[in-house]
Amino acid sequence: MTDENILNLKIKLELQNPVYDIVDEAIEYTMKKQNFKKYDLVKLVMMIYKKDYSCFSNTNDYRDQVKLLDEYFEKEYGHSIITFMMIKAVLAYKGTDVYDTITSDIAVLETVLRTKKNIQAEDLCIFSYPIENEKYNDLMMNIEANSNFKYAMAITYDQIKNSNKITQN
């Protein structure tokens, strides 16, 4: 087994690890306490990418816990915890029609952000192909290296968190 395969397997196993639930809890608490509106979560995501955890409350040590998990995830896997959390949020819908809608929306958003035009998505599988092939590291690298993809994921994450469960259109 190659190092890349081992890394992908470890990331896949982390998706089941309940320790990361504290990040969701911290985000939801922050959203409620600060009365987040549409797209405020996108700003929070970008702050986390910049290692700015000041928006998190110290209630329940949320700020420190998110920081420590982000540092651990970065050291262990070379990625930000928020990238992992956004992927995890989308994967919660895997196997449903909602998942297909969400992944299609990610592709459309990425294309619009990149081209600045409302055109048909150029790569409908930008998210789903790496997931289906268990290339989690490649997906995370692509999200973090491509600002359009990063913002598309952040917008989608905002929609998921603000709707409390995306419903079918």
Side-chain angles (χ1 to χ4, degrees):
M1 196 173 242
T2 66
D3 288 345
E4 182 71 17
N5 289 341
I6 291 170
L7 182 60
N8 283 317
L9 180 60
K10 287 174 67 177
I11 293 171
K12 181 181 178 181
L13 292 173
E14 290 288 18
L15 290 166
Q16 308 305 317
N17 191 338
V19 76
Y20 299 105
D21 293 346
I22 195 69
V23 177
D24 269 335
E25 191 178 310
I27 289 170
E28 288 168 14
Y29 181 84
T30 301
M31 289 174 66
K32 185 176 181 180
K33 184 174 179 166
Q34 295 183 14
N35 197 25
F36 272 25
K37 305 285 187 245
K38 190 174 185 179
Y39 303 123
D40 284 345
L41 185 53
V42 174
K43 295 173 194 171
L44 174 71
V45 166
M46 295 309 147
M47 287 176 72
I48 296 170
Y49 276 121
K50 293 177 183 172
K51 308 294 184 206
D52 180 354
Y53 310 101
S54 63
C55 56
F56 288 107
S57 169
N58 266 336
T59 303
N60 297 327
D61 294 324
Y62 286 136
R63 186 179 301 149
D64 291 337
Q65 290 186 64
V66 171
K67 181 181 179 198
L68 288 171
L69 283 170
D70 194 28
E71 289 171 351
Y72 164 79
F73 208 83
E74 181 105 20
K75 182 180 177 211
E76 190 69 23
Y77 302 105
H79 300 292
S80 175
I81 191 68
I82 197 63
T83 306
F84 176 76
M85 297 308 296
M86 291 188 297
I87 291 169
K88 188 175 179 183
V90 174
L91 289 178
Y93 296 96
K94 192 170 184 190
T96 69
D97 290 339
V98 174
Y99 175 79
D100 295 336
T101 301
I102 292 170
T103 58
S104 174
D105 288 349
I106 292 168
V108 169
L109 279 168
E110 189 278 333
T111 299
V112 168
L113 290 168
R114 184 171 28 82
T115 64
K116 312 290 187 257
K117 297 176 186 168
N118 194 5
I119 60 175
Q120 188 174 10
E122 294 172 1
D123 183 2
L124 280 173
C125 299
I126 193 169
F127 182 91
S128 58
Y129 179 81
I131 292 297
E132 290 168 11
N133 292 286
E134 298 184 351
K135 301 286 185 187
Y136 302 101
N137 187 51
D138 289 349
L139 177 59
M140 294 175 86
M141 284 191 320
N142 193 13
I143 291 168
E144 293 172 350
N146 178 339
S147 64
N148 300 314
F149 197 4
K150 186 185 296 184
Y151 276 101
M153 288 297 299
I155 291 166
T156 302
Y157 188 60
D158 183 277
Q159 292 169 341
I160 290 170
K161 290 295 187 181
N162 279 313
S163 69
N164 260 352
K165 298 291 178 207
I166 291 183
T167 56
Q168 293 176 328
N169 297 337

